[in-house]
Amino acid sequence: MESSLVLRVVGKLLIPFILLFALYVQFHGDFGPGGGFQAGTIFAAGIVFYALIFGLDKTRQVVPDRLVETMLAAGVLLYAGVGVAGLLLGGNFLDYFVLDQDPIHGQHRGIFWVEAGVAITVCGVMLKIFYMFASRGQSEGNEE
Amino acid sequence: MACSVWVLARTPNLFAVVVLSGIYSFLMATVLVALDAVDVAMTEAAVGAGVSTVLLLGALHLCKSEEAKPAHRPWLPLLLSVATAAVLIYGALGLPDFADPNAPIHQHVVPRYLQNEIDVPNVVTAVLASFRSYDTLGETTVVFTAGAGIIALLRRRKHPKSEGSSDGK
C-alpha cells in the first residue's frame, strides 16, 4: 500500500482539507449542520486515511497513543467541567447562562466548549479503536 | 437500497458484505438528506460509511473472509425478525402523517426550542448542546465507555508472562 504513488499524492492533497473540513464542521456547527460528533468523526477519518496510506507506525508518530488516550478522557472531563463551571458561577449543572455577563453570549460559550469536548472524545475513541484493531493485526502478523 | 440489502444477505464473501454495508450507509445518508436531517446524514456518512467500514475491514483482516456455514437452519431467527418487523410496521401505521404540523411531537416543547431564545441558528445544535445537554453528556460518556471497553478488551500487554496484573504502560 505504501508504494502506491497515486494514493500518496492524493492523500497528501486531501488530508489537510479533510482536517480543515472537520474543524469547519466543528466551529460552524452553530450556524450550519454539524457539531462535535460529526467533526470528531471526520477528523478521525482523516487520520485513519493517513494511516491507511502511510502505515500505522508513521501515524503513531504523528498522533501518539498517549495523546489519543488522553483525548478519550479529556473530552468527557471538558464537558463535565463546563457543567461544574456553571455550578461554581452560581447556576445549575450545565447552566450556560451564567458563563458570561450576557446570557446569550454565555450560551454560545457553553455550547462551544461542550461541542469541543464531544469532538475530542469522539475523535479519540475512533482513533483508539482503529489503532487497537490495526495494531492487533500487525503484531499477529509478526508473531506468526 | 433494497437491492444492496438483498445482495448483503445472500453473498457469502465478507469483504463484499463490508463494502456493501458502506454503500448502504451512503444510500441511507442520502435518504436522511431527503428527510431534511442533514446533521444525521453527515454522521451516517462519516461513521457508517467511513470509519465503520475501515474498522470492519480491520476486523476482517484478523479473521477469514468467507462466511462460515451456519450450524443449523435459521428459521427461528427469521421468524423472530419478521415478527419484530411486523410489530414495528403495525406501530408505524399509528404514527401521525409525515410533516404533519399538528402531530403531538410538534406541540410539546418544540415551539419553545424554535423560539430560539439562545440565538443559535442551527436548532439541532441548540437542542443537542444546550436544551438537552444532560443527554449529550450521557452520550459522550457512553462513547468514552465504549473506548475504554475496547482498550480493556484488546490491549496487549508488552510482557504477557511477567506480572499478569501490571499493565505495561
Side-chain angles (χ1 to χ4, degrees), chain B residues 105-106 108-124 126-128 130-133 135:
Chain B
I105 192 170
H106 295 144
H108 183 46
V109 287
V110 170
R112 198 181 149 211
Y113 290 163
L114 289 181
Q115 275 172 12
N116 218 340
E117 61 193 57
I118 59 166
D119 195 28
V120 172
N122 183 2
V123 184
V124 177
V127 173
L128 191 89
S130 178
F131 293 111
R132 295 288 180 91
S133 52
D135 296 4

Side-chain angles (χ1 to χ4, degrees), chain A residues 85-105:
Chain A
L87 213 58
L88 290 179
L89 290 170
N92 295 321
F93 186 64
L94 287 172
D95 184 356
Y96 307 146
F97 283 119
V98 293
L99 291 179
D100 197 84
Q101 303 293 329
D102 180 12
I104 302 277
H105 198 222

Side-chain angles (χ1 to χ4, degrees), chain B residues 30-46:
Chain B
T30 53
V31 169
L32 289 167
V33 170
L35 290 174
D36 267 350
V38 188
D39 293 75
V40 189
M42 219 166 179
T43 318
E44 177 71 35

Side-chain angles (χ1 to χ4, degrees), chain A residues 29-30 32 79 96 107-108 140, chain B residues 39 119 122 125 129-130 133 156:
Chain A
D30 289 7
Y79 200 131
Y96 307 146
Q107 280 283 343
H108 286 199
E140 214 115 282
Chain B
D39 293 75
D119 195 28
N122 183 2
T125 303
S130 178
S133 52
R156 282 280 176 81

Side-chain angles (χ1 to χ4, degrees), chain B residues 9-151:
Chain B
R10 301 298 297 177
T11 180
N13 188 345
L14 292 181
F15 182 76
V17 167
V18 171
V19 174
L20 275 170
S21 59
I23 294 172
Y24 177 82
S25 285
F26 259 123
L27 291 172
M28 194 68 211
T30 53
V31 169
L32 289 167
V33 170
L35 290 174
D36 267 350
V38 188
D39 293 75
V40 189
M42 219 166 179
T43 318
E44 177 71 35
V47 180
V51 176
S52 70
T53 306
V54 171
L55 289 182
L56 284 173
L57 284 178
L60 206 59
H61 179 62
L62 299 177
C63 58
K64 286 190 295 183
S65 70
E66 284 292 319
E67 196 173 4
K69 277 265 173 272
H72 49 81
R73 285 282 172 190
W75 291 121
L76 183 66
L78 183 69
L79 194 72
L80 200 65
S81 41
V82 168
T84 316
V87 169
L88 285 177
I89 291 171
Y90 175 71
L93 288 179
L95 286 175
D97 292 339
F98 179 63
D100 178 11
N102 294 320
I105 192 170
H106 295 144
Q107 304 292 331
H108 183 46
V109 287
V110 170
R112 198 181 149 211
Y113 290 163
L114 289 181
Q115 275 172 12
N116 218 340
E117 61 193 57
I118 59 166
D119 195 28
V120 172
N122 183 2
V123 184
V124 177
T125 303
V127 173
L128 191 89
S130 178
F131 293 111
R132 295 288 180 91
S133 52
Y134 271 63
D135 296 4
T136 312
L137 177 59
E139 282 168 25
T140 316
T141 316
V142 167
V143 172
F144 167 73
T145 317
I150 289 282
I151 293 176

